Amino acid sequence: MPRPIEALVHADALAHNLGTARRHAPDAKVWAVVKANAYGHGIERAYPGLQAADGFALLDLAEAERVRALGWRGPILLLEGCFEARDLELCSRLNLWHVVHHEAQIDWLATHKTTWPHHVYLKMNSGMNRLGFTPSAFRNAWQRLSGLTQVDEITLMTHLSDADADPASKRGIAHQIETFEAATHDLAGERSLSNSAATLRYAPDRAGVRGDWVRPGIMLYGSSPDFPQHSIAQWDLQPTMTLRSRLIGTQQLQAGDSVGYGSSFTADQPMRIGIVACGYADGYPRHAGTGTPVLVNGVRTRTVGRVSMDMLAVDLTPVREAALGSEVTLWGRGPHGAQLPIDEVAQAAGTIGYELMCAVAPRVPIHAA
Ligand SMILES: *Cc1c(COP(=O)(O)O)cnc(C)c1O
């Protein structure tokens, strides 16, 4: 028997979450962001749940080839655009839309030979200071692109740095939206501004934030972009990935006994613990300390002691019937309808759902559920 750990990808939940994105931006088209191998889910496994999207947005040309190989004939967008001039050949061959965020990408286009003109996304740096043209350089870039025979449509885009911020904080989206609108109000073309956080929080009330295309990523994968302000239940999202394993041992502790490396947990009364076949070499976060939530037979309990490479320990006090082989849900869907949102595990480990789902290790088999 293989080691009992596995990950499951839930197509029905992906489809549900895509529907939630649509409901928040009913008049916009939806890019399903599938970069980073569909946030660790696997593009091929996520695809059946996301087929109702209007397009797929990603970074790697190899990922774009995989989406075309699945039979997708609709739009595909390269979110970082081309990395070198040669990449344009693949864009022409696979009909990829691509972001243009610096001058060299326009130079490459200007010398590119193509039989049909490209659809590009012209990106403004409206304040995040990662990629994009400054507001003052944006118009000139738009004019250069408009003059190229290699370019057909130009969509105007920007990316928001603080769409998930607590409303009580000073940060937010207003300054970026104003910057973007001021610099683009008289330019032709569709607009795209919103990631998951902006789609959920601002798109329903503000047409200027919805634009023509929204770009949800994390919400499709059952993690709340502004947890703990909102949980996935509050946003009507469902877990799309389950990481589960089994108990491969149990121990009876007496008061004063400790658990695992560094003896970081000591029992203050007699208790039973279970040993789970899951450790940091499987992608479970080592920084998740004692008290991280976990389900055993669908019953919520906590981890105890340090996570080691291949194992971790759980408190069996609330799960009397737990025994060797009992099912352990590290995150996602448990038995009997129980759920453990990935966001709660991430919070206990001082990180975010994005990092955990992208970090599931190659040694963990992933199955479509
Ligand atoms: C990753 C990414 C998104 C999706 O962001 P989420 O926070 O996962 O919704 C949207 N737009 C761009 C440009 C991205 O790189």
Side-chain angles (χ1 to χ4, degrees), residues 24-25 160 162-169 171-174 177 194-211 214 226 229 235:
H24 280 76
L160 303 169
D162 295 280
D164 58 338
D166 192 316
S169 82
R171 294 171 304 151
I173 65 168
I177 299 292
S194 292
N195 57 2
S196 297
T199 300
L200 289 169
R201 295 168 56 128
Y202 300 105
D205 304 325
R206 296 178 61 176
V209 178
R210 274 196 306 282
V214 292
D226 65 352
Q229 292 175 68
W235 286 130

Side-chain angles (χ1 to χ4, degrees), residues 247 249-254 267 269-274 301 304 314-324 326:
L247 294 186
T250 60
Q251 300 292 340
Q252 177 63 47
L253 304 185
Q254 302 307 322
Q269 56 183 10
M271 65 185 283
R272 208 159 65 98
I273 61 165
T301 179
V304 290
V314 294
D315 182 354
L316 294 182
T317 309
V319 212
R320 282 263 178 74
E321 78 289 359
L324 215 59
S326 288

Side-chain angles (χ1 to χ4, degrees), residues 88-89 91-93 112-118 149-150 152:
L88 287 167
E89 289 162 27
C91 292
S92 289
R93 184 145 46 85
H112 176 59
K113 293 195 177 48
T114 179
T115 41
W116 55 70
H118 290 196
T149 56
Q150 291 87 344
D152 150 20

Side-chain angles (χ1 to χ4, degrees), residues 93-334:
R93 184 145 46 85
L94 297 181
N95 188 16
L96 308 181
W97 302 9
H98 47 101
V99 167
V100 170
H101 62 86
H102 61 63
E103 293 286 349
Q105 288 174 328
I106 306 181
D107 300 339
W108 301 337
L109 262 169
T111 58
H112 176 59
K113 293 195 177 48
T114 179
T115 41
W116 55 70
H118 290 196
H119 190 141
V120 299
Y121 263 50
L122 179 60
K123 184 163 188 173
M124 182 189 296
N125 169 14
S126 59
M128 189 165 193
N129 288 308
R130 261 182 359 183
L131 301 182
F133 292 90
T134 60
S136 57
F138 195 76
R139 181 167 304 263
N140 184 52
W142 186 88
Q143 277 162 350
R144 268 193 84 195
L145 285 170
S146 301
L148 296 182
T149 56
Q150 291 87 344
V151 172
D152 150 20
E153 276 185 66
I154 307 172
T155 298
L156 315 178
M157 85 175 281
T158 195
H159 194 54
L160 303 169
S161 55
D162 295 280
D164 58 338
D166 192 316
S169 82
K170 275 208 214 63
R171 294 171 304 151
I173 65 168
H175 66 293
Q176 284 190 266
I177 299 292
E178 280 160 27
T179 300
F180 182 75
E181 284 177 354
T184 60
H185 68 276
D186 59 344
L187 295 180
E190 291 191 323
R191 266 86 171 141
S192 177
L193 300 86
S194 292
N195 57 2
S196 297
T199 300
L200 289 169
R201 295 168 56 128
Y202 300 105
D205 304 325
R206 296 178 61 176
V209 178
R210 274 196 306 282
D212 301 285
W213 286 85
V214 292
R215 307 188 304 269
I218 194 68
M219 67 175 290
L220 303 178
Y221 303 100
S223 170
S224 169
D226 65 352
F227 186 83
Q229 292 175 68
H230 294 90
S231 65
I232 52 169
Q234 287 169 310
W235 286 130
D236 188 20
L237 300 171
Q238 296 175 5
T240 58
M241 180 196 280
T242 293
L243 181 64
R244 71 180 185 189
S245 187
R246 295 189 181 277
L247 294 186
I248 57 168
T250 60
Q251 300 292 340
Q252 177 63 47
L253 304 185
Q254 302 307 322
D257 287 349
S258 60
V259 179
Y261 288 117
S263 300
S264 71
F265 174 81
T266 302
D268 55 9
Q269 56 183 10
M271 65 185 283
R272 208 159 65 98
I273 61 165
I275 305 302
V276 186
C278 175
Y280 61 78
D282 299 299
Y284 192 88
R286 201 185 79 95
H287 294 289
T290 293
T292 301
V294 59
L295 309 178
V296 177
N297 285 346
V299 176
R300 195 178 167 109
T301 179
R302 57 173 183 151
T303 66
V304 290
R306 266 191 210 158
V307 174
S308 49
M309 182 185 272
D310 310 308
M311 285 176 261
L312 56 82
V314 294
D315 182 354
L316 294 182
T317 309
V319 212
R320 282 263 178 74
E321 78 289 359
L324 215 59
S326 288
E327 183 170 331
V328 178
T329 309
L330 288 316
W331 59 69
R333 289 186 188 171

